[in-house]
């Protein structure tokens, strides 16, 4: 976690964030550790991977090693042994040498994702709605909104507690937006990587019964303000390019799209 925090820098390609491990921690510390891979050289970690799914490896690479040929070749050699058999996907920082080598090995570009980013150097508008920071007494509300926002979500109160008990959550907050009668209508978790580093929204959702009323924009503004209070230099998130509604919501809150990113996949 400490290494990942140190790799989050302005001007460096977006990659696996401490918040990604923090969100995965909802499955417990042991399962998070089992899903994590590290590459070391001379006793130092130079790359970190997380199996978001058995067929999907998301990676971070030390900024100074992203064009390192020895490391890139080692990752390409190791990836088939990390993932299950079948069609698999690897997500690495855009511009890293490992992407070039994967293409040479027959990997192809996956569907595009859109990163969105906002500097927190200036003031962030008030969301204009009631926003609460979720504690242990309201963990069930955070879980309920998550399930009502994402089809197939398995997020439960027990998993919220597992996440909140995890080491990464020391740099995180869960937020909810409430409507005029106090109902939780949108929720998000924000993850700091430390003072002066980019903060991350993962995940953010609006209850399916309350969409189209500006709650998503209010939620994103609340996330930006929370990360600003925590000392983050900027806020960012990523969403599939086909999710035009999500892209519009983030843009309405002042996040600007960056060049699309693509993972790589193939049969192994």
């Amino acid at each position: 976690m400490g290494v990942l925090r140190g790799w989050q820098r302005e001007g460096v390609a977006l990659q696996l964030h401490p918040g990604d491990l923090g969100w995965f921690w909802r499955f417990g510390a042991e399962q998070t550790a089992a899903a994590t891979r590290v590459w070391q050289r001379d006793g130092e970690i130079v790359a970190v991977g997380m199996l978001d799914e058995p067929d999907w490896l998301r990676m971070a690479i030390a900024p100074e090693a992203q064009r390192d040929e020895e490391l890139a070749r080692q990752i390409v050699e190791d990836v088939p042994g990390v993932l299950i058999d079948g069609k698999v996907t690897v997500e690495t920082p855009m511009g890293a040498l490992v992407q070039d080598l994967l293409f040479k090995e027959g990997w192809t570009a996956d569907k595009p994702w859109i990163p969105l980013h906002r500097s927190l150097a200036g003031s962030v508008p008030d969301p204009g709605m009631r926003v609460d920071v979720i504690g242990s007494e309201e963990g069930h509300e955070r879980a309920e909104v998550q399930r009502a926002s994402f089809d197939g979500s398995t997020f439960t109160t027990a998993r919220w507690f597992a996440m909140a008990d995890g080491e990464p959550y020391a740099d995180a907050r869960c937020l909810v937006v409430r409507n005029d009668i106090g109902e939780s209508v949108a929720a998000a978790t924000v993850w700091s990587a430390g003072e002066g580093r980019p903060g991350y929204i993962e995940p953010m959702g609006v209850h399916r019964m309350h969409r189209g009323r500006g709650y998503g924009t209010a939620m994103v503004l609340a996330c930006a303000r929370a990360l600003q209070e925590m000392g983050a230099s900027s806020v960012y998130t990523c969403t599939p390019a086909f999710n035009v509604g999500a892209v519009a919501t983030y843009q309405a809150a002042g996040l600007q799209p960056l060049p699309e990113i693509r993972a790589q996949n193939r049969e192994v």
Side-chain angles (χ1 to χ4, degrees):
M1 291 299 301
V3 167
L4 276 180
R5 289 186 184 101
W7 291 350
Q8 311 304 312
R9 306 173 192 173
E10 299 295 343
V12 172
L14 301 181
Q15 54 182 340
L16 191 72
H17 190 276
D20 290 307
L21 283 177
W23 175 239
F24 196 95
W25 214 288
R26 67 195 187 277
F27 300 117
E30 289 187 7
Q31 195 163 334
T32 304
T36 304
R37 302 288 185 275
V38 296
W39 282 257
Q40 298 185 66
R41 181 163 55 195
D42 299 328
E44 293 187 2
I45 296 174
V46 291
V48 177
M50 183 189 77
L51 286 163
D52 213 353
E53 299 287 348
D55 60 354
W56 186 293
L57 179 69
R58 302 177 61 192
M59 293 196 63
I61 300 173
E64 62 276 8
Q66 291 189 2
R67 300 297 298 178
D68 185 295
E69 184 172 357
E70 180 186 31
L71 175 60
R73 291 192 181 281
Q74 188 65 55
I75 292 172
V76 172
E77 180 181 332
D78 292 339
V79 160
V82 172
L83 295 159
I84 64 172
D85 292 339
K87 185 176 181 180
V88 296
T89 303
V90 176
E91 181 183 321
T92 55
M94 295 299 291
L97 180 60
V98 65
Q99 292 188 330
D100 301 338
L101 299 185
L102 287 171
F103 280 128
K104 289 181 179 179
E105 292 291 324
W107 292 67
T108 58
D110 197 43
K111 296 177 182 178
W113 285 63
I114 303 296
L116 297 108
H117 174 274
R118 174 181 180 144
S119 170
L120 296 177
S123 62
V124 178
D126 190 286
M129 298 180 186
R130 177 182 166 186
V131 178
D132 289 344
V133 177
I134 291 295
S136 58
E137 294 183 358
E138 303 87 14
H140 65 283
E141 291 188 66
R142 173 70 183 87
E144 288 169 2
V145 178
Q146 183 74 19
R147 294 194 304 272
S149 301
F150 296 93
D151 294 338
S153 172
T154 60
F155 198 44
T156 62
T157 304
R159 286 185 172 172
W160 183 87
F161 275 100
M163 177 186 74
D165 286 342
E167 190 269 343
Y169 198 75
D171 295 325
R173 292 180 188 171
C174 278
L175 309 171
V176 297
V177 167
R178 299 190 186 278
N179 63 12
D180 293 339
I181 60 173
E183 296 173 313
S184 300
V185 294
T189 306
V190 293
W191 305 88
S192 168
E195 187 84 20
R197 299 188 184 279
Y200 182 45
I201 303 173
E202 173 60 16
M204 190 285 289
V206 179
H207 193 297
R208 62 177 63 89
M209 300 298 293
H210 297 279
R211 292 172 181 164
R213 303 174 192 176
Y215 296 133
T217 299
M219 186 77 266
V220 177
L221 288 171
C223 290
R225 289 167 69 93
L227 284 168
Q228 189 176 55
E229 292 173 3
M230 297 164 76
S233 56
S234 63
V235 54
Y236 79 92
T237 192
C238 291
T239 190
F242 67 78
N243 194 345
V244 294
V247 173
T249 294
Y250 286 113
Q251 286 188 279
L255 277 70
Q256 298 301 314
L258 299 176
E260 67 180 34
I261 59 176
R262 290 175 180 257
Q264 293 163 281
N265 55 40
R266 68 167 292 180
E267 295 281 339
V268 298

